[in-house]
Amino acid sequence: SLEGIVSKRGDAPYVSGRTRTWTKAKCRAGHEVVIGGYVTTEGRFRSLLVGVHRGDNFAYVGRVGTGYGMAKVKGLLPKLQAVETATSPFNGVGAPKKTAGVLWLKPVLVAEIEFAGWTSDGLVRQAAFKALREDKPAAEVEVEKPAPPANAEVVRPAAPTSSKPSRRGDKVDVMGVLISNPDKSLWPDANDSHPVTKEDLARYYEAVGPWLIKHIVGRPCSIIRAPDGIAGEQFFQRHAMPGTSNLLELVTVFGDKKPYLQIDRVEGLAAVAQVGALELHPWNCEPYRPESPGRLVFDLDPGPDVPFSTVVEAARKMRDRLNELGLTSFCKTTGGKGLHVVAPLAVARRNKISWAEAKGFAHDVCQKMARENPDLYLIKMNKNLRNGRIFLDYLRNDRMATAVAPLSPRARPGAPVSMPLTWTEVKADLDPKRFTIRTVPGLLAKSTAWQDYCDGQRPLDQAMKRLSKVKHAA
Ligand code: ATP
Ligand code: MN
């Protein structure tokens, strides 16, 4: 039950104040909330009404009803009274109504709270007040993000959520989120003749969450929902909807008024499992910078009669080409028919690369590969040309284009997973069907795949220069 870990960059001095050289990693999500009101009965302080910033909204996340000793209230009240205001700061779905005894506040005070988890509609459960965080501006409560856990083994505090399945009525608690209909079958089986249930999906996300989250954090992320399982209706959802859990972030991007979904914390994965999200499809932008390409994804799509070993060969060829251009790449199965080759980009503050440049570069690389081996590869989307060949799809590399996230399950028979691989594993006998919701947590624990992903980031402008030199030489 530790509160968290404070760490400092090894070579940085000890300084006071909030700087980038130290971080606080908390054991639980949402420790901090912004106070938007309080409730009194007969003039006596009762509870705080709290929220978090989500996009342009100040969203209500519930009532903090305990934790108020006499001394605490005495210290707290004058600070509340100093920021009282006539109108409610809360907006969006579920904002509380003005009732007797409610006083509204400007959303400027940050409270540290302790709570048992989240309800399925994103309210805090059993929240207790701990203290005011006077060192932290309220505007920062929205940017609080789980620190990317490097490949460290994280010992979870003994919370009832992960140690033993805790059932509450007909619901089950995963990462603090209540999952309804946990026994509902989403896949008939994972090649093992046992149904894969909604609880299995949520627990899969819990198991691989710390690894997966690094690859979707800060990026708008579409989800494919199949609330009645893969045989039922499927929805490709980009935007937030009324009732979207508060554990998900909302991001507004240029050119679209409606906010996009974004998943920045592992608990958000349980929240999307709760609404039947079987697949995660993030943008390929730099985290928190939707206008900047953050990785290139080369999608190798084999025609129907291409043996998988040929796709493997294509991925290795693509790696060598990227390598020659100074780019490091990583391979994953898609959970479907093909393979993805992913090249992380180093994004410079100056010298920004545009989406048009990223897409143009990916096009040129694929075109060159297709021209040199037209019997094997093509870059036109034309389906009937594809027979016997591999379509090199460079179109994942555009603004708003998505690709399935590494470790995302697929809404396809057998509950397959898009599995990150080491290049050694990308060999002729690779069998992508091995990687399922059931097998991947165990395999991932032993794998070193993508461990050096961040070290692999390379600037695209240099690769662009190299490519144009090769072009001119040819
Ligand atoms: P495979 O190896 O089988 O080709 P894949 O992930 O590369 O797997 P698809 O599932 O065909 O390929 O998806 C292609 C892309 O289209 C994905 O990156 C996904 O983000 C996007 N996509 C999938 N479904 C939809 C949809 N209904 N609407 C918009 N985009 C979608
Ligand atoms: Mn594909």
Side-chain angles (χ1 to χ4, degrees), residues 298-302 334 336-340 386 391 393 396 410 412:
F298 296 90
D299 176 9
L300 311 182
D301 273 344
T334 62
K337 302 172 300 290
L339 288 172
H340 288 174
R386 208 180 293 192
F391 171 50
D393 181 0
R396 309 287 112 233
R410 301 309 297 263
R412 303 182 189 193

Side-chain angles (χ1 to χ4, degrees), residues 135-158:
D135 57 326
K136 187 158 188 172
E140 274 186 28
V141 169
E142 66 166 343
V143 291
E144 182 189 326
K145 302 292 186 299
N151 290 287
E153 246 181 64
V154 178
V155 183
R156 283 189 157 264

Side-chain angles (χ1 to χ4, degrees), residues 63-216:
R63 190 183 275 246
V64 180
T66 59
Y68 307 106
M70 286 245 284
K72 265 195 200 170
V73 173
K74 221 174 141 194
L76 186 60
L77 263 181
K79 286 170 186 146
L80 300 179
Q81 284 155 355
V83 296
E84 271 177 28
T85 174
T87 52
S88 169
F90 297 106
N91 48 25
V93 183
K97 301 271 182 310
K98 170 91 187 165
T99 49
V102 170
L103 291 145
W104 303 123
L105 304 180
K106 288 185 208 131
V108 291
L109 297 174
V110 178
E112 194 155 358
I113 63 167
E114 216 169 55
F115 62 107
W118 300 88
T119 65
S120 49
D121 36 6
L123 298 180
V124 292
R125 296 191 349 240
Q126 299 161 29
F129 177 75
K130 286 185 67 191
L132 279 182
R133 278 290 306 263
E134 307 201 52
D135 57 326
K136 187 158 188 172
E140 274 186 28
V141 169
E142 66 166 343
V143 291
E144 182 189 326
K145 302 292 186 299
N151 290 287
E153 246 181 64
V154 178
V155 183
R156 283 189 157 264
T161 55
S162 49
S163 49
K164 57 177 185 309
S166 77
R167 291 209 171 243
R168 305 166 63 87
D170 54 354
K171 294 182 177 170
V172 45
D173 178 327
V174 178
M175 292 189 270
V177 176
L178 291 183
I179 305 292
S180 62
N181 295 319
D183 299 329
K184 183 182 243 174
S185 164
L186 296 179
W187 286 267
D189 66 85
N191 300 328
D192 59 358
S193 54
H194 294 289
V196 180
T197 64
K198 198 169 159 195
E199 178 176 357
D200 292 340
L201 174 66
R203 298 222 175 271
Y204 169 77
Y205 281 139
E206 181 181 36
V208 303
W211 199 110
L212 196 175
I213 199 77
K214 291 181 285 185
H215 294 276
I216 61 173

Side-chain angles (χ1 to χ4, degrees), residues 219-235:
R219 301 162 182 105
C221 186
S222 303
I223 55 180
I224 293 183
R225 294 173 57 193
D228 295 317
I230 63 166
E233 210 174 334
Q234 298 187 7
F235 313 88

Side-chain angles (χ1 to χ4, degrees), residues 303-375:
D305 46 1
V306 176
F308 198 73
S309 58
T310 311
V311 189
V312 163
E313 196 46 42
R316 300 187 72 92
K317 287 268 153 53
M318 181 62 84
R319 173 191 64 166
D320 296 344
R321 277 172 186 274
L322 295 172
N323 223 352
E324 278 165 25
L325 297 169
L327 296 176
T328 304
S329 60
F330 299 86
C331 189
K332 64 182 180 72
T333 67
T334 62
K337 302 172 300 290
L339 288 172
H340 288 174
V341 176
V342 180
L345 301 178
V347 176
R349 295 236 164 239
R350 296 184 298 146
N351 220 351
K352 281 204 188 108
I353 299 292
S354 68
W355 281 109
E357 287 170 308
K359 184 167 125 186
F361 176 85
H363 167 271
D364 292 351
V365 171
C366 292
Q367 185 183 54
K368 193 159 182 289
M369 186 156 157
R371 282 195 178 152
E372 288 173 18
N373 211 333
D375 297 339

